[in-house]
Structure formats: structure tokens, C-alpha cells
């Protein structure tokens, strides 16, 4: 089943991209903002909040964007792709996201084109923003990161008994990723 909630890793990335402030400020779009990028009619000049209030705003905002992303997609995405799309939508807004070519590419089963279309959202008033370029790069990197929580139907692949032993050791935590990846690459 495709993801419908942003992961803890996705939330951590969003928090790092948004930054955190306890005092309302006017963002580059001239909109009052507070916490982790929260906007709304309650955010006015002089407003201050606690970190817990910022987290509460973030949870509420994320719920809306999870619904927007889930509702816009006709084709499945993995957890990292979903997280990247929620972070992207959080930044550009729900309506822009739903009408974006990135969504159209996913729905047309053209997943490879998505990073190029996300990257195009890097301007403020027609001028390339280094901050938005960095943000888009982080979203694209997350989109392109294989989802380690994805499950594979073992009947569709052939594993030797040795491969299964090493796989099980890795999945149980008895083998670290470096050793596992060395085994995958070298067979030793």
C-alpha cells in the first residue's frame, strides 16, 4: 500500500529546510510566518510561540499536505518519494502542487521526469534563489533515494541460500550496512 503519512526522516528534513523561529516574521513572499514555516490568519506581527506550539502547527500543516499529495497522485510512490512530495507541496502550496507538472509526470507513469520538474521551482519573482535551489536539491535527493522500507516479493527473485543468510543477518541487525554492501558488490 502506498504511503499516506510523511516519515520521521521526512519531518526531520522538512524541519531543517524550514528552520525554526519563535517569533513571527515576513517571509520572502511577504506572508507572516512562524515555527517551522507555518502561515495562517493567526500568524501576525509580534506573535511568539513555544517549540511545542511550533510542533503542533507543523503536525496540523503536514496532515493537510499529506492529504493533498495523496489525493493528487494516481500512481504509487515509495516512502522517500512521498516525503519529498510532501516537503515540496509544503513549500509551494497545495494548489500549485496539484497543478504541477511533477504530479502530471507521476500520473503519466513518467517517474524519471519528476526531479527535473521539481527543480524548476527555484525562483522568487522570476529570479533564481540559491535557497530554493538548495531546497529543491534536497527534495530531489530524497526522491532519488531508494526506500529501505519497501518490501520485495521474494518469489520474484532468486536468492541462493548464502544470499538469504546474509540478507537475514543484515535485516536482523547482526551485520552492518558496510559489510552487507561489500557482500552484495563482491560476493564475499
Amino acid at each position: 500500500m502506498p504511503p499516506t503519512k510523511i516519515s520521521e526522516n521526512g519531518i526531520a528534513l522538512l524541519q531543517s529546510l524550514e528552520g525554526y523561529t519563535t517569533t513571527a516574521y515576513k517571509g520572502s513572499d511577504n506572508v507572516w510566518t512562524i515555527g517551522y514555516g507555518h502561515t495562517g490568519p493567526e500568524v501576525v506581527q509580534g506573535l511568539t510561540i513555544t517549540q511545542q506550539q511550533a510542533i503542533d502547527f507543523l503536525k496540523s500543516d503536514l496532515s493537510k499536505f499529506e492529504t493533498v499529495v495523496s489525493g493528487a497522485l494516481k500512481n504509487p510512490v515509495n516512502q522517500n518519494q512521498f516525503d519529498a512530495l510532501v516537503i515540496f507541496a509544503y513549500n509551494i502550496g497545495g494548489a500549485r502542487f496539484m497543478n504541477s507538472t511533477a504530479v502530471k509526470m507521476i500520473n503519466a507513469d513518467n517517474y524519471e521526469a519528476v526531479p527535473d520538474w521539481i527543480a524548476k521551482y527555484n525562483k522568487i519573482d522570476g529570479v533564481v534563489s540559491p535557497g530554493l535551489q538548495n531546497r529543491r536539491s534536497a527534495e530531489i535527493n530524497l526522491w532519488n533515494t531508494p526506500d529501505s522500507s519497501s518490501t520485495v516479493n521474494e518469489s520474484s527473485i532468486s536468492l541462493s541460500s548464502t544470499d538469504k543468510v546474509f540478507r537475514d543477518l543484515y535485516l536482523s541487525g547482526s551485520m552492518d550496512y558496510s559489510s552487507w554492501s561489500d557482500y552484495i558488490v563482491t560476493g564475499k
Side-chain angles (χ1 to χ4, degrees):
M1 181 160 214
T4 58
K5 299 284 183 201
I6 191 170
S7 71
E8 291 300 319
N9 288 337
I11 292 170
L13 177 60
L14 176 63
Q15 287 175 311
S16 73
L17 292 169
E18 287 292 334
Y20 165 68
T21 182
T22 59
T23 305
Y25 69 94
K26 275 198 175 181
S28 59
D29 55 2
N30 211 30
V31 174
W32 287 103
T33 306
I34 201 163
Y36 296 103
H38 175 73
T39 61
E42 69 283 355
V43 183
V44 294
Q45 183 175 11
L47 177 67
T48 60
I49 60 172
T50 65
Q51 186 166 17
Q52 185 57 53
Q53 288 171 308
I55 290 169
D56 292 344
F57 278 140
L58 179 62
K59 286 179 183 178
S60 174
D61 292 342
L62 282 174
S63 177
K64 295 172 198 165
F65 286 102
E66 291 164 340
T67 300
V68 165
V69 171
S70 295
L73 302 181
K74 293 183 174 89
N75 285 321
V77 294
N78 69 36
Q79 185 66 58
N80 287 333
Q81 292 169 331
F82 185 81
D83 291 354
L85 294 172
V86 170
I87 294 166
F88 179 56
Y90 193 92
N91 184 243
I92 69 169
R96 280 183 81 195
F97 174 79
M98 289 187 301
N99 293 308
S100 72
T101 304
V103 169
K104 291 174 185 158
M105 292 295 102
I106 295 166
N107 291 339
D109 208 22
N110 187 357
Y111 293 83
E112 297 79 25
V114 173
D116 290 338
W117 285 102
I118 289 174
K120 292 181 187 295
Y121 287 81
N122 65 349
K123 297 175 182 74
I124 298 173
D125 295 328
V127 177
V128 172
S129 161
L132 285 179
Q133 281 186 304
N134 291 339
R135 184 183 184 109
R136 298 292 94 91
S137 182
E139 293 160 352
I140 291 166
N141 285 339
L142 183 56
W143 171 271
N144 287 327
T145 301
D147 181 11
S148 61
S149 69
S150 294
T151 58
V152 175
N153 179 356
E154 285 192 33
S155 64
S156 68
I157 58 174
S158 175
L159 291 177
S160 71
S161 58
T162 304
D163 290 342
K164 288 179 182 177
V165 168
F166 277 97
R167 181 222 38 217
D168 292 343
L169 284 170
Y170 172 67
L171 292 176
S172 72
S174 298
M175 176 185 279
D176 65 17
Y177 179 78
S178 177
S179 299
W180 169 247
S181 62
D182 286 348
Y183 170 73
I184 293 298
V185 172
T186 66
K188 299 176 186 176

